[in-house]
Amino acid sequence: MEQSMVLKFFGGVSQDASSLAVDFEKVLRELAAWLLPIGVCLLAEGLRLEKWRKIETLASYRYVTVKKWWRRKFAGIMRNGVLTAAVMFIMAMAADIVNDGKLSDKSLNVFFLWLVHMILTMTFFLMLDLTGVRKLAPAILLLSEGGTFLVGFSNTRIARFMYGMWGMYFQSKWYFEETGVSVLSSILFEMALIALIYLAGGIFLERKGVFV
């Protein structure tokens, strides 16, 4: 039976790194499938940020402080990013219903990990957009996603610290109970980073003293 669209594009890499029979060709194929929807979300986010930048140049005078401007921009981009990620996931769910007449019983778990991970990814994107590498942000994030996954996959002792491992259902303890990454620790890491990036962005803009 063909793997569901939800698991194919949002479940991540299904190989157990501790296995002696790892199919690395399959690992790279599944990693590419995982990166595809992330790339689409980053593209959509980049287009929104460019549109936002043109509008905010004219409207920034309404904000009393840079911090208030950053808070509004952060909330708006996060909201739009979450909606894009959710819509893509719902499209995959709809395809599964059409093709198989049912959803995978793991869909909610996959969606939860995917959504939290994409919120963090969009937060990283927004932070990079404040810097001089904004045009390279999508490439940087995709390379970071793939690179940190491969590092974690090749060394399971540090896998739980690798950004690219956190959003994958197949690499979590929900799928591999013995060797998977702890869901709780990955969610806590991601939430802490989201909060840290938000605070760092506000401090950076206040010190710079300008609207980006």
Side-chain angles (χ1 to χ4, degrees), residues 19-195:
S19 172
L20 296 177
V22 174
D23 183 347
F24 286 100
E25 183 178 343
K26 184 180 180 183
V27 168
L28 294 177
R29 187 168 60 250
E30 292 181 343
L31 179 59
W34 165 259
L35 292 176
L36 178 60
I38 295 176
V40 173
C41 287
L42 291 176
L43 176 61
E45 195 78 350
L47 293 174
R48 286 198 197 97
L49 284 169
E50 285 302 317
K51 182 178 179 181
W52 182 290
R53 203 168 355 260
K54 293 176 182 178
I55 296 173
E56 286 299 298
T57 301
L58 300 174
S60 60
Y61 69 89
R62 295 181 302 172
Y63 302 99
V64 179
T65 64
V66 172
K67 184 176 292 186
K68 288 185 178 180
W69 175 86
W70 168 244
R71 186 186 306 128
R72 183 175 183 274
K73 181 174 183 177
F74 188 91
I77 295 300
M78 288 301 102
R79 181 186 65 248
N80 292 333
V82 166
L83 286 175
T84 301
V87 166
M88 291 193 66
F89 194 91
I90 290 170
M91 290 172 63
M93 292 174 64
D96 283 345
I97 293 174
V98 171
N99 293 333
D100 304 325
K102 63 178 181 179
L103 291 173
S104 167
D105 57 351
K106 306 301 183 183
S107 292
L108 288 178
N109 291 346
V110 175
F111 179 65
F112 175 69
L113 291 177
W114 157 257
L115 193 61
V116 175
H117 190 64
M118 286 311 299
I119 292 173
L120 175 60
T121 300
M122 294 304 173
T123 307
F124 276 133
F125 192 13
L126 185 55
M127 187 64 188
L128 288 173
D129 188 69
L130 302 180
T131 71
V133 298
R134 62 171 53 140
K135 292 183 178 180
L136 298 175
I140 291 172
L141 289 171
L142 287 174
L143 288 173
S144 298
E145 183 82 35
T148 54
F149 165 77
L150 292 173
V151 171
F153 189 80
S154 62
N155 188 341
T156 56
R157 290 178 298 178
I158 62 173
R160 66 182 182 276
F161 302 113
M162 293 294 102
Y163 161 66
M165 303 287 288
W166 294 338
M168 293 188 181
Y169 166 77
F170 283 137
Q171 293 300 314
S172 73
K173 284 189 177 295
W174 280 347
Y175 189 75
F176 290 123
E177 293 185 8
E178 297 297 325
T179 60
V181 175
S182 168
V183 173
L184 179 60
S185 65
S186 63
I187 295 299
L188 289 176
F189 276 135
E190 290 182 306
M191 291 178 65
L193 283 172
I194 291 168

